[in-house]
């Protein structure tokens, strides 16, 4: 008589720590907020995605959906700020290109949620959520200024700060339009165009602002003919040539 086959071992249940459970719930919420406006997401849906009960969600977020949304927004904001961090090595415009690549990947992943967040108008929008968004914008501007060689040791002037903040606003607007246009043109083309905008805005500002002119003079030796600045300069030559009649006579 043969012995019966042993039953397969059951998977050991591991109780999640408080931080692990909170992270799990935030991940479930972010997966929903990424594709739906916050006021369209229910706690029952968050609980279902996380595989837990609704009371458990309330245990961690007693303030309900609003508290969960703000916590998820904070988590997303921290992730978004990391998109702008880049080691200070190599041509500055190539660093900005990598930054924008990560930023647009974030926009792509969180499309509807990103749109709802920046457009406002959600019932979940509060002064706290607005402050979180503004914090991301300020952090992004500070990082871009660092890439432009203007940080703690070379404080940026008001015109350069304004120019960078204006460009950040343009990037946001372009991202929203990109989502409206069903993510066309391709992300790589949009990224290149936005880097071109930054270079063009720097050049235009440098013509009237000595501080920006000094920053550009410091940046140009770091750029290469094969990089974004070199490629834009090559494309601009024919345009400038056509505009030669606008130049004052010698």
């Amino acid at each position: 008589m043969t012995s019966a086959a042993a039953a397969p071992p059951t998977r050991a249940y591991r109780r999640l720590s408080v931080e692990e459970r909170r992270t799990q719930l935030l991940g479930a919420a972010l997966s929903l907020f990424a594709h739906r406006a916050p006021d369209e997401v229910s706690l029952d849906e968050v609980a279902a995605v996380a595989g837990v009960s609704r009371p458990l969600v309330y245990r961690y977020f007693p303030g309900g959906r609003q508290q969960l949304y703000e916590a998820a927004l904070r988590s997303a904001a921290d992730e978004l700020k990391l998109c702008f961090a880049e080691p200070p090595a190599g041509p500055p415009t190539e660093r900005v290109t990598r930054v924008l690549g990560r930023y647009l990947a974030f926009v792509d992943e969180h499309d509807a949620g990103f749109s709802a967040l920046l457009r406002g108008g959600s019932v979940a929008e509060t002064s706290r959520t607005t402050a979180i968004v503004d914090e991301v914008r300020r952090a992004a501007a500070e990082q871009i200024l660092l890439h432009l060689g203007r940080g703690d040791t070379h404080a940026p002037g008001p015109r350069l700060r304004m120019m960078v903040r204006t460009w950040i606003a343009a990037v946001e607007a372009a991202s929203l339009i990109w989502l409206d246009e069903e993510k066309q043109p391709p992300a790589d083309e949009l990224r290149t165009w936005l880097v071109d905008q930054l270079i063009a805005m720097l050049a235009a500002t440098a013509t009237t602002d000595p501080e920006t002119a000094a920053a550009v003079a410091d940046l140009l030796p770091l750029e290469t003919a094969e990089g974004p600045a070199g490629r834009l300069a090559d494309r601009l030559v024919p345009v400038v040539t056509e505009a030669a009649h606008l130049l004052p006579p010698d």
Side-chain angles (χ1 to χ4, degrees):
M1 181 176 177
T2 59
S3 60
T10 58
R11 178 179 296 179
Y13 176 78
R14 185 175 71 88
R15 184 182 297 275
L16 298 181
S17 69
V18 171
E19 189 57 37
E20 287 173 330
R21 181 67 74 186
R22 179 181 170 84
T23 299
Q24 178 199 29
L25 294 176
L26 286 176
L30 280 171
S31 70
L32 293 168
F33 292 137
H35 303 291
R36 308 248 299 279
D39 42 301
E40 296 175 356
V41 175
S42 71
L43 287 186
D44 286 331
E45 291 176 291
V46 174
V49 170
V52 300
S53 66
R54 178 188 174 98
L56 182 64
V57 178
Y58 264 112
R59 185 186 307 170
Y60 281 82
F61 299 97
R65 180 175 60 186
Q66 183 64 39
Q67 183 184 7
L68 179 58
Y69 173 61
E70 290 179 11
L73 178 59
R74 164 57 62 191
S75 176
D78 291 342
E79 181 182 345
L80 188 53
K81 284 191 288 187
L82 289 176
C83 292
F84 289 88
E86 181 74 19
T93 56
E94 293 184 15
R95 288 182 239 156
V96 174
T97 298
R98 290 191 290 272
V99 161
L100 277 178
R102 291 192 294 269
Y103 176 86
L104 291 175
F106 182 94
V107 174
D108 186 22
E109 182 183 354
H110 299 81
D111 45 19
F114 179 87
S115 180
L117 169 64
L118 289 187
R119 290 187 195 281
S122 166
V123 296
E125 184 181 13
T126 66
S127 59
R128 291 188 298 274
T129 61
T130 300
I132 292 173
V133 176
D134 286 341
E135 179 185 322
V136 173
R137 291 171 178 148
R138 289 193 300 271
E142 291 302 317
Q143 285 296 318
I144 294 300
L145 285 167
L146 286 174
H147 296 316
L148 297 180
R150 290 300 182 265
D152 295 333
T153 57
H154 294 82
R159 289 283 297 279
L160 182 56
R161 286 199 306 272
M162 182 182 293
M163 188 226 80
V164 169
R165 291 178 63 185
T166 300
W167 180 74
I168 294 292
V171 169
E172 284 187 6
S175 300
L176 291 172
I177 295 170
W178 185 61
L179 294 176
D180 283 345
E181 296 292 333
E182 299 181 348
K183 300 178 183 178
Q184 292 297 321
D188 286 352
E189 292 183 22
L190 176 60
R191 180 188 62 187
T192 298
W193 182 69
L194 290 171
V195 175
D196 287 348
Q197 300 304 308
L198 177 62
I199 298 169
M201 291 175 71
L202 273 169
T205 307
T207 62
T208 56
D209 179 49
E211 198 277 332
T212 303
V216 170
D218 292 339
L219 293 172
L220 282 176
L222 304 175
E223 297 293 330
T224 66
E226 298 78 20
R231 292 195 297 269
L232 179 60
D234 184 60
R235 296 197 305 273
L236 283 175
V237 168
V239 177
V240 174
T241 300
E242 289 294 327
H245 66 287
L246 298 177
L247 299 175
D250 293 336

